[in-house]
Amino acid sequence: GGSSAVPRRRVIKRLQASLPFGETRPKLNRTLAILLFSVFGNTFCTLALIAAGVWVAGLFAGVPALPPGARVPFFGPPA
């Protein structure tokens, strides 16, 4: 869509600025920026959708996504 293209363009421009081929090979630099954005964006979004699906399925089934007392790394114990 048109509205999501502008933030995407900004992210790709920032990635391009941080990659080493900006001056010497701009086409390669842009391709790498788009590839990195796509791979990480798709991976993050896929994992987020899976986590949301597991959480919703657990709510409907009455089964917690994590066993009671489980510790989630980097997030601490569940509430």
Side-chain angles (χ1 to χ4, degrees):
S3 63
S4 68
V6 173
R8 200 175 326 161
R9 229 178 265 147
R10 284 189 208 136
V11 171
I12 290 172
K13 290 283 185 191
R14 282 191 214 132
L15 271 172
Q16 280 182 282
S18 69
L19 292 171
F21 304 110
E23 299 295 322
T24 57
R25 301 188 64 193
K27 282 189 177 183
L28 174 64
N29 199 45
R30 180 163 173 77
T31 302
L32 285 174
I34 291 170
L35 180 72
L36 285 171
F37 177 77
S38 298
V39 168
F40 287 117
N42 285 333
T43 301
F44 175 76
C45 288
T46 300
L47 292 175
L49 283 172
I50 290 170
V54 167
W55 180 72
V56 169
L59 285 177
F60 283 128
V63 177
L66 298 172
R71 293 185 180 267
V72 180
F74 309 110
F75 296 106

